[in-house]
Amino acid sequence: MPKSLGNAGRSFVTERVNPRVLRAGLRVLGVAIRTEPLMFTLSVVASALYGGMTVASAWVLGEVTERVILPAFAAGETTKGALAAGGAAIVAVSVLKALGVAGRRFWAGLMQYNLQARFRRSVTRQYLRLPLAWHHRHPTGQLLSNASSDIEAAWAPIAPLPMAVGVVFMLVFAAFSILAVDLPLAVVGFLLFPLIALLNLVYQRVLSPRVARAQQLRAEVSEVAHESFEGGLVVKTLGREAAETERFRTAAERLRDANVDVGRVRGLFDPVLESLPRFGVLAVLLFGSMRLDAGAIDTGDLVQVCYLFTLLSWPVRSLGWVLAELPRSVVGWDRVRAVLDAEGAMPYGKGALAVEVAARLEAEDLTFGYADDTTVLSGASLSVAPGRTVAVVGPTGSGKSTLASLLVRLVDPRAGAVRLDGTDVRDLAPGEVARAAALVPQDTFLFDDTVRGNVDLEGDLADADLWAALRLAQADGFVAGLPDGLDTRLGERGATLSGGQRQRLALARALVRRPRLLVLDDATSSVDPQIEERILGGLRESAASVVVVAYRKATISLADEVVHLVRGRVADRGTHAELLARSAAYRDLVNAYEHAEAERPDEGPPDGTALEGADGADAGEDVRA
């Protein structure tokens, strides 16, 4: 289990043991009511109608007993009018009661689903707003859990809430109704409700920490599953199926045990809470019989009160349902709130980039680390003149990918500045950097969509523009040979394509936007060297400044300037020939890369041939190269 998740789980469990969970739960319900006031009002009105008709049905039954049934027994006959009036009264109350039930359920359900949809959108927007540095600190499975099960848990009490509020009206109506019949009988009946309230309070205290742990373990199971799916290639190639199965089984069993623990508590308390109202009915019936014998009340009054308590026994349980869901709701809300309140959003200014030609890039004294005690870049600087190409070369772990992320402002440096056309990127308005600059990472991501959908994310570009970008990325040949061309579906993450083909589509996706600055983070590593040379040659002719993280000599030699990065610092800079002549470390590095390339087994071009079996387009293209 990730350390951060484990700590979070312990903190949540500890917090939920706090007896203030009831007040915290009521605050969550207050958020729901303020967010959806109309839905809540309509559902409560419908619930109050149900509550009022529940009490009215007991009164009607008492009146029908007193005015129709007893006289019929006494006289041995009754009239059609009396029967019709009694039946009409019962039917009218039942219809109104049914309308109250339908309205309560409809509006409460709509309120609950509206809240879930609203906060899922809010959480997702926050995920997109927060910088990558924040995402680096939070496991993906936990974020998925925040947007799904945590939001469902937060609003779980909403469905029974209007009924519980309606029960309050019902109890008020019932109190006046019973007090109007007989005060001693009302006192005996209402002794039941403090007992139910006390038992619900104990129930909530016992259930609270168990529900909190179960909710946290759901996030852990989601995280393990997500890692297993994402790392499917590693699992398969290293034969780790059994180990991953065992890891998931352990997490799933912990969740199962936690849910069973919750079930045990509910299994203990639910029958008692279910039985208490029935004991109350027996107590009222026993004491009411004595009052009836004493002549203090009529038979109809006793029927009315007993029937009323029979009807109240189930609705009163809705108060327990709300209280039982509050601990889980508070846990879910705390986890969702932690995302919505997360700090770290990038500050923006109001600046704009008016120039439409190739960008001028300056990075000055950049310092950055992914954690407080680490430094990946330290005082790194580079500059790219408009229309020029700069190669960034360095050993593994030297900070090349981090530098690429800083240049397009995926993250902000701790110190230093990145400037586009002389303007600090932090002073630009939202979207300005994205309109001017594009990053193509080494790890290519393609959507489960068509070629067209992956290249034209906006869906508003002409086919001519798409083919132009594909030609520049040297991807037009294999795309033309696909079964449906631009409309060929690529499968999840582009599973039907080779690595080189995926990289070229990702490059086309960046080029179709006509960026003024293009940053390639080893984005052609899986492409055949000859095709890579054609790609970079075409980029030099485009109206864009280019920063390319590279390791092949052929690629590096095409750059106007090379920046040699070592341990987060710029060790040297100059042309490829100059660095070869004066830097032994640089010379050893690029020669080692070239030797590694030369010694690779003869496995065909790095592009692979995922789809060539059907059309041969890509293979033919590479041969012609």
Side-chain angles (χ1 to χ4, degrees):
M1 179 178 69
K3 183 177 180 181
S4 61
L5 269 167
N7 292 339
R10 286 189 291 273
S11 66
F12 277 127
V13 171
T14 302
E15 185 178 354
R16 297 284 70 78
V17 174
N18 196 307
R20 291 177 294 179
V21 65
L22 178 60
R23 292 195 294 273
L26 294 177
R27 285 195 295 270
V28 175
L29 297 181
V31 171
I33 295 169
R34 291 192 299 273
T35 304
E36 293 287 343
L38 178 60
M39 300 295 179
F40 178 74
T41 301
L42 292 172
S43 60
V44 168
V45 168
S47 186
L49 175 62
Y50 163 77
M53 290 304 101
T54 299
V55 176
S57 65
W59 176 81
V60 166
L61 184 61
E63 290 296 305
V64 169
T65 300
E66 192 68 34
R67 298 175 182 273
V68 178
I69 297 176
L70 291 181
F73 276 112
E77 61 180 5
T78 188
T79 64
K80 292 181 180 180
L83 289 175
I90 293 174
V91 168
V93 169
S94 299
V95 169
L96 291 173
K97 184 177 176 182
L99 290 175
V101 171
R104 183 197 72 221
R105 290 182 177 177
F106 176 79
W107 295 113
L110 195 57
M111 177 182 176
Q112 185 179 41
Y113 295 134
N114 279 351
L115 286 167
Q116 290 177 1
R118 178 191 293 266
F119 281 89
R120 280 200 176 98
R121 289 193 295 268
S122 297
V123 167
T124 302
R125 281 196 296 266
Q126 179 74 335
Y127 286 162
L128 297 175
R129 187 181 67 85
L130 289 167
L132 283 182
W134 183 89
H135 286 272
H136 293 154
R137 300 192 300 269
H138 296 81
T140 304
Q142 181 179 336
L143 303 185
L144 290 173
S145 179
N146 292 150
S148 57
S149 61
D150 287 336
I151 286 178
E152 290 179 3
W155 307 124
I158 298 305
L161 176 62
M163 183 172 181
V165 176
V167 165
V168 174
F169 288 101
M170 186 188 302
L171 293 178
V172 173
F173 298 152
F176 283 109
S177 178
I178 297 173
L179 286 171
V181 172
D182 187 58
L183 178 60
L185 190 59
V187 172
V188 170
F190 286 133
L191 286 176
L192 168 71
F193 297 112
L195 292 176
I196 292 177
L198 178 61
L199 188 59
N200 272 313
L201 183 60
V202 175
Y203 184 20
Q204 174 258 321
R205 293 284 180 85
V206 175
L207 189 65
S208 167
R210 290 167 172 81
V211 169
R213 175 162 175 75
Q215 190 67 17
Q216 173 59 37
L217 288 174
R218 285 188 182 91
E220 293 185 19
V221 170
S222 177
E223 173 64 19
V224 172
H226 181 268
E227 286 183 346
S228 296
F229 299 151
E230 289 291 291
L233 182 61
V234 175
V235 172
K236 289 290 185 184
T237 55
L238 298 182
R240 298 291 297 171
E241 293 92 341
E244 282 300 299
T245 300
E246 177 63 22
R247 189 162 77 103
F248 185 79
R249 184 189 66 80
T250 301
E253 287 182 352
R254 284 201 300 266
L255 176 58
R256 176 203 64 192
D257 293 341
N259 284 329
V260 169
D261 197 19
V262 171
R264 286 197 188 102
V265 173
R266 285 179 169 163
L268 175 64
F269 280 88
D270 281 350
V272 178
L273 288 169
E274 198 74 34
S275 301
L276 269 181
R278 284 157 177 74
F279 286 121
V281 173
L282 291 176
V284 168
L285 183 59
L286 178 62
F287 186 72
S289 299
M290 292 188 291
R291 297 289 289 171
L292 182 62
D293 290 340
I297 59 175
D298 296 328
T299 303
D301 295 332
L302 181 58
V303 170
Q304 175 185 341
V305 173
C306 290
Y307 182 63
L308 183 57
F309 271 95
T310 302
L311 295 178
L312 287 175
S313 62
W314 182 76
V316 168
R317 285 287 290 115
S318 64
L319 295 171
W321 297 336
V322 173
L323 291 175
E325 290 290 350
L326 282 185
R328 181 168 168 248
S329 173
V330 171
V331 174
W333 177 247
D334 283 349
R335 291 166 59 83
V336 171
R337 193 72 253 174
V339 174
L340 297 178
D341 291 341
E343 298 294 334
M346 290 181 171
Y348 289 94
K350 297 182 179 179
L353 297 171
V355 183
E356 294 298 330
V357 296
R360 183 175 77 258
L361 173 69
E362 298 166 302
E364 180 180 353
D365 294 329
L366 299 180
T367 299
F368 182 82
Y370 290 98
D372 293 338
D373 57 348
T374 63
T375 300
V376 179
L377 288 176
S378 180
S381 300
L382 64 84
S383 61
V384 183
R388 307 282 281 177
T389 299
V390 173
V392 178
V393 180
T396 301
S398 58
K400 303 186 297 297
S401 294
T402 299
L403 177 61
S405 297
L406 288 165
L407 296 181
V408 295
R409 211 195 174 195
L410 291 181
V411 291
D412 280 338
R414 293 179 185 170
V418 176
R419 298 185 180 88
L420 281 176
D421 299 331
T423 303
D424 192 318
V425 293
R426 288 169 291 198
D427 296 330
L428 295 173
E432 283 295 302
V433 174
R435 279 189 285 271
L439 168 69
V440 184
Q442 179 181 5
D443 296 329
T444 304
F445 181 88
L446 295 180
F447 296 96
D448 185 6
D449 200 348
T450 61
V451 174
R452 185 192 307 276
N454 273 283
V455 177
D456 180 13
L457 298 180
E458 298 293 334
D460 57 0
L461 294 176
D463 284 4
D465 294 326
L466 300 181
W467 284 112
L470 291 169
R471 278 193 297 272
L472 190 55
Q474 300 296 305
D476 57 320
F478 79 82
V479 171
L482 296 178
D484 297 311
L486 290 174
D487 296 314
T488 303
R489 294 198 71 87
L490 303 180
E492 185 177 4
R493 292 182 172 270
T496 58
L497 301 180
S498 70
Q501 290 169 336
R502 289 195 294 269
Q503 285 191 331
R504 281 182 276 171
L505 282 186
L507 178 58
R509 179 166 59 201
L511 292 173
V512 79
R513 298 170 47 242
R514 295 185 173 89
R516 299 172 50 233
L517 170 66
L518 183 63
V519 180
L520 305 179
D521 182 10
D522 206 5
T524 53
S525 58
S526 297
V527 175
D528 182 276
Q530 293 174 317
I531 296 179
E532 180 187 36
E533 183 176 354
R534 287 156 53 189
I535 292 172
L536 294 177
L539 292 178
R540 288 176 63 87
E541 298 174 3
S542 67
S545 306
V546 180
V547 177
V548 54
V549 174
Y551 65 90
R552 290 172 175 165
K553 265 188 178 181
T555 306
I556 299 168
S557 62
L558 294 173
D560 299 301
E561 185 181 26
V562 179
V563 174
H564 184 205
L565 204 61
V566 178
R567 295 181 180 178
R569 297 178 180 274
V570 175
D572 204 349
R573 61 196 306 170
T575 65
H576 175 56
E578 290 171 350
L579 293 187
L580 282 177
R582 69 172 179 244
S583 174
Y586 175 80
R587 186 167 55 249
D588 291 343
L589 178 66
V590 295
N591 286 337
Y593 281 144
E594 185 154 314
H595 291 156
E597 280 283 292
E599 294 172 0
R600 286 179 57 180
D602 187 11
E603 298 174 348
D607 289 44
T609 54
L611 286 170
E612 291 83 352
D615 51 64
D618 202 32
E621 176 192 6
D622 290 348
V623 170
R624 287 193 300 274

